[in-house]
Amino acid sequence: MTTTCSTVLDQPLLRPVELGDLQLPNRVVMAPMTRARATGAGLVPNGMHTDYYGQRAGAGLIVTEGTWVSERAIGFPNVPGVWSEEQISGWRRVTDVVHALGGRIVLQLWHTGATSHPDHLGGALPAGPSAVDPRERTHTPNGPKATVTPREMTITDIRDTVAEYRAAAVNARRAGFDGVEVHALGSFLIPQFLNPRLNLRRDAYGGDPAGRRRLLMEIVDAAAAAWDGRRVGVRLSPYWTAERFTADERTLADYDALVAELRDHPVAYLHLRGPAPAAPGAAPDHDAFARYRRFFGGPLIANHGFDRETGNAVIGAGLADAVSYATHFVANPDLVARFALDRELAAGDPGTYYTGGAGGYVDYPASRWSDGVRR
């Protein structure tokens, strides 16, 4: 009997790459995932966060969970922030461990806007681009609830929000992060401004596609001011569908222009969530990434439904520079090693994703030598 450990080191996912001024040893990116473990006072990252991200430092790049830029941004229980000194210190412990283990990590900046709830805001109404209810379910400390009609943000509100993103980027640098990623995905504040069904404004932040994307461009520039070089990524989801969100041709065309405009701003990379695969186990749609690849031209991270084979394929086809993985990183802290050694992936337990404890968060083991033995 002989035992061998199979390695597949020539795959595209394992090659180094530069995303702006971020130099990555491989192209396997850990996607941002809300895990709701900041259960103590002040929404401060704790020791579990340090273990969780440290365990996954083999990723070419870690993008943290979405993190509140201010108390007014909150819209989900037990998510950490980055506005207080205690939060900055908590994140510093995370980045120190990730860097000591050879990793790279950026902080994702998040604001929920109209999909927040008064339960998060001391009874105050959430704010959005216009007084239009997004008609979604939102998670509150008192359980899931329907969203409410928000108040329309004033120009002062908008300027204050941009300033909060600027301060959050400064705090991220103080906390030792390698950069930041602007959360412009899903049904939250920035996509609300991009959406003509939610943004009915007739001032400089609405009225037409250029006005509706102005907030995003100002946030990108404000976040970039904290960094030397290109260290700000942007995550978009043009194919997102929800009660007030559609992926019709008008929406996709608006995103065409948005992505093209990002070329004129100091963006390190575009992190693009593609459409859902056509069926369970089906390969992601390459055409969706090709569409925005040609408008942006810079580094692109592809996301949504990829495994090792399809990740290698989209990079090999020249449609992405890296691929991000979410659920695979939950149960496989050593995901890069598993890809390199051709090992089976473990499955996570969705019942533990948001439960607040160590179970299902920091207790998934790395693969063992015997997992790679072939007989």
Side-chain angles (χ1 to χ4, degrees):
M1 180 186 72
T2 60
T3 61
T4 61
C5 182
S6 174
T7 61
V8 191
L9 298 180
D10 59 345
Q11 54 187 297
L13 280 167
L14 300 184
R15 298 171 188 162
V17 67
E18 293 183 6
L19 305 182
D21 287 291
L22 299 167
Q23 298 183 1
L24 313 187
N26 63 69
R27 303 173 188 232
V28 182
V29 174
M30 179 175 165
M33 292 175 281
T34 297
R35 301 301 308 276
R37 257 62 181 191
T39 54
L43 302 180
V44 176
N46 54 48
M48 284 195 299
H49 292 84
T50 304
D51 287 353
Y52 175 71
Y53 288 113
Q55 289 169 357
R56 291 154 180 82
L61 178 68
I62 293 172
V63 184
T64 71
E65 61 213 276
T67 302
W68 308 128
V69 298
S70 73
E71 292 177 283
R72 296 188 297 180
I74 296 172
F76 198 98
N78 301 326
V79 170
V82 72
W83 69 83
S84 74
E85 291 301 316
E86 293 79 12
Q87 291 163 347
I88 293 168
S89 296
W91 281 122
R92 168 60 79 170
R93 290 188 287 273
V94 172
T95 61
D96 282 349
V97 167
V98 170
H99 290 149
L101 295 171
R104 293 147 182 81
I105 183 168
V106 299
L107 184 71
Q108 193 187 61
L109 307 180
W110 191 17
H111 193 308
T112 50
T115 54
S116 185
H117 191 276
D119 287 3
H120 288 294
L121 304 171
L125 284 176
S130 299
V132 180
D133 186 348
R135 296 180 184 169
E136 303 216 9
R137 299 290 287 177
T138 183
H139 296 276
T140 80
N142 303 308
K145 293 188 177 183
T147 54
V148 300
T149 300
R151 65 178 182 84
E152 181 174 306
M153 294 176 73
T154 66
I155 293 295
T156 297
D157 290 331
I158 292 173
R159 290 172 179 165
D160 288 346
T161 298
V162 174
E164 289 168 352
Y165 275 89
R166 180 183 295 108
V170 170
N171 289 343
R173 185 166 184 175
R174 291 176 58 208
F177 285 96
D178 299 298
V180 295
E181 180 177 285
V182 175
H183 185 313
L185 172 143
S187 304
F188 304 110
L189 178 69
I190 294 172
Q192 291 160 22
F193 268 83
L194 297 173
N195 186 337
R197 288 167 289 280
L198 293 174
N199 183 348
L200 308 181
R201 307 176 72 95
R202 290 294 178 264
D203 60 13
Y205 294 91
D208 59 22
R212 290 193 293 270
R213 61 181 180 260
R214 178 175 176 176
L215 175 63
L216 173 58
M217 302 305 165
E218 290 187 357
I219 286 172
V220 168
D221 290 346
W227 303 92
D228 301 319
R230 290 179 179 259
R231 291 181 175 267
V232 176
V234 177
R235 191 168 193 219
L236 298 176
S237 57
Y239 299 95
W240 188 270
T241 57
E243 178 68 23
R244 298 278 196 177
F245 288 80
T246 63
D248 56 19
E249 190 52 41
R250 175 187 176 184
T251 298
L252 298 182
D254 285 351
Y255 273 90
D256 291 347
L258 184 159
V259 169
E261 187 173 341
L262 284 174
R263 293 180 302 190
D264 300 326
H265 294 261
V267 175
Y269 63 82
L270 173 64
H271 190 175
L272 185 66
R273 185 184 190 273
D285 181 2
H286 277 198
D287 290 343
F289 299 97
R291 174 172 187 148
Y292 293 102
R293 176 73 154 182
R294 72 176 185 267
F295 286 111
F296 183 57
L300 187 148
I301 303 173
N303 170 261
H304 202 188
F306 287 92
D307 57 17
R308 189 186 73 166
E309 180 181 358
T310 55
N312 280 315
V314 75
I315 295 172
L319 300 178
D321 298 282
V323 177
S324 71
Y325 298 87
T327 54
H328 286 326
F329 259 116
V330 170
N332 300 277
D334 59 337
L335 183 63
V336 177
R338 292 185 190 234
F339 282 174
L341 298 171
D342 195 17
R343 294 184 174 175
E344 293 292 328
L345 300 185
D349 177 9
T352 65
Y353 284 177
Y354 310 107
T355 51
Y361 188 60
V362 294
D363 59 347
Y364 287 106
S367 60
R368 301 165 299 173
W369 168 259
S370 59
D371 296 333
V373 170
R374 298 178 185 275
R375 300 180 185 275

